Amino acid sequence: EHNFSVVLGSELGNAGEGLTREENALVDYYLGLDAERFSGNSVSTFTAMIILERQWLERPSAHYNGGSVPLNLFLPFFSHRT
């Protein structure tokens, strides 16, 4: 049995109210970095950057949809691990 909690930005109430799209993205980025575990869309460069930084921090991450991670084509040292 796993005890995971999925938190959506919409569940944070008015926490992002009044922020620009870019500021909300920054909040999402740091939430993804600080999460105990992170899972993101395989075709998203946003996800790829979070996974890359989490690898450097030796924190678990994964991607879904079964596609490749976009940065893998441009950064040969980027290999996905969980």
Side-chain angles (χ1 to χ4, degrees):
E1 184 176 313
H2 299 286
N3 291 322
F4 294 107
S5 295
V6 176
V7 179
L8 303 175
S10 60
E11 295 174 335
L12 298 176
N14 296 332
E17 191 172 303
L19 297 179
T20 66
R21 179 177 182 249
E22 291 78 14
E23 290 166 336
N24 275 312
L26 188 61
V27 169
D28 289 345
Y29 187 82
Y30 282 101
L31 285 173
L33 281 181
D34 196 44
E36 186 174 327
R37 295 183 181 273
F38 173 80
S39 181
N41 191 316
S42 64
V43 296
S44 165
T45 53
F46 185 83
T47 289
M49 290 301 296
I50 292 174
I51 290 175
L52 179 61
E53 192 161 348
R54 287 180 65 90
Q55 281 185 358
W56 290 332
L57 298 170
E58 297 183 359
R59 304 201 68 192
S61 60
H63 63 274
Y64 60 89
N65 289 351
S68 64
V69 175
L71 291 182
N72 194 35
L73 299 172
F74 303 101
L75 303 173
F77 58 85
F78 181 82
S79 62
H80 178 72
R81 65 181 174 160
T82 56

